[in-house]
């Protein structure tokens, strides 16, 4: 048996880190953020020492979960903004809502960014809370306002519908999310159509 190469070790390290972050994001929803590093290790099927090597405490773990979630959300919103060449109409906004829902359905970290934003990042230490709020506003919320071309609280209503319905999915552990129906409800909230 040959020893692993440096590249193989790096790949294993990246995969293990991703596994830990995914499990931590799901644990957040199950426990409301009061999970322990040992809980994450157990659910990930890793030794406590292994997880502790990457994350010596829960706060660092949550910060990394959010950091990677922010990266994914910012990229998704940038992609949505790039697809809108003409003024958005209801069908474009519907596709945007569907894209966000699909992202959240497949990525607990991305959803956690929006869920915690709805709670003003209350579970974070003060300095991290301020940084997360600013990053959300600049990298996600303002671009979404631009996509929707509205400066009032319409985007708040749209996000409330999307986050609320997705939250039920995560907290209840449902097997599916009715993306089309929820997206239509969100559009109804933003366009105020009856």
């Amino acid at each position: 048996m040959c020893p692993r190469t440096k590249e193989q070790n790096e790949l294993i390290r990246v995969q293990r880190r991703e596994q830990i972050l995914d499990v931590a994001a799901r644990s957040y929803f199950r426990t409301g953020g009061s999970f322990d590093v040992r809980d994450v290790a157990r659910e990930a099927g890793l030794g406590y020492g292994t997880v502790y090597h990457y994350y010596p405490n829960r706060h660092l773990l949550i910060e990394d979960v959010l950091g990677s979630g922010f990266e994914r959300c910012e990229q998704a919103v940038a992609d949505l903004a790039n697809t809108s060449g003409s003024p958005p109409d209801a069908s474009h906004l519907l596709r945007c809502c569907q894209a966000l829902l699909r992202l959240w359905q497949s990525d607990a970290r991305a959803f956690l960014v929006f869920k915690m934003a709805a709670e003003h990042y209350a579970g974070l230490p003060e300095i991290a809370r301020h940084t997360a709020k600013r990053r959300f506003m600049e990298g996600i919320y303002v671009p979404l306002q631009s996509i929707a071309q509205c400066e009032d609280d319409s985007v708040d209503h749209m996000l409330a519908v999307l986050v609320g319905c997705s939250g039920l999915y995560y907290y209840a552990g449902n097997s599916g999310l009715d993306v089309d129906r929820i997206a239509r409800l969100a559009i109804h909230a933003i366009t105020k159509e009856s």
Side-chain angles (χ1 to χ4, degrees):
M1 184 164 151
C2 296
R4 287 191 291 239
T5 65
K6 199 184 294 189
E7 291 81 16
Q8 289 171 320
N9 283 334
E10 179 62 18
L11 178 63
I12 290 169
R13 188 188 71 73
V14 168
Q15 290 172 337
R16 194 165 283 154
R17 182 180 171 272
E18 290 297 308
Q19 177 185 8
I20 292 167
L21 293 175
D22 285 338
V23 169
R26 288 191 308 271
S27 293
Y28 185 93
F29 293 109
R30 205 175 38 264
T31 65
S34 62
F35 62 87
D36 186 65
V37 173
R38 288 182 193 275
D39 301 328
V40 173
R42 186 174 31 259
E43 188 176 333
L46 299 171
Y48 172 69
T50 301
V51 177
Y52 186 80
H53 171 75
Y54 291 92
Y55 298 102
N57 65 55
R58 181 176 63 84
H59 297 292
L60 292 174
L61 180 53
I62 290 174
E63 284 181 27
D64 252 12
V65 167
L66 278 177
S68 64
F70 266 114
E71 290 170 9
R72 294 168 181 198
C73 291
E74 289 163 345
Q75 182 60 53
V77 171
D79 292 345
L80 293 171
N82 290 336
T83 61
S84 66
S86 58
D89 57 4
S91 66
H92 176 69
L93 291 174
L94 179 68
R95 288 190 304 276
C96 289
C97 290
Q98 290 167 332
L100 283 174
L101 289 166
R102 286 188 186 104
L103 172 66
W104 299 346
Q105 189 173 20
S106 66
D107 190 339
R109 291 185 245 174
F111 178 64
L112 188 58
V113 168
F114 282 82
K115 174 66 173 144
M116 289 184 81
E119 300 164 350
H120 305 285
Y121 297 98
L124 299 178
E126 184 64 35
I127 187 124
R129 185 179 318 143
H130 177 71
T131 303
K133 285 180 182 180
R134 186 171 18 94
R135 186 171 182 183
F136 182 81
M137 289 302 292
E138 293 171 1
I140 298 171
Y141 187 84
V142 170
L144 283 175
Q145 276 186 317
S146 178
I147 291 168
Q149 290 191 346
C150 61
E151 294 182 13
D152 61 3
D153 61 355
S154 296
V155 171
D156 293 345
H157 296 279
M158 178 185 78
L159 290 176
V161 171
L162 296 174
V163 170
C165 293
S166 295
L168 293 173
Y169 164 81
Y170 273 100
Y171 286 108
N174 292 336
S175 60
L177 187 64
D178 191 344
V179 170
D180 295 328
R181 183 174 183 199
I182 295 167
R184 284 192 306 275
L185 286 170
I187 294 303
H188 177 74
I190 198 168
T191 58
K192 299 176 181 90
E193 294 175 356
S194 10

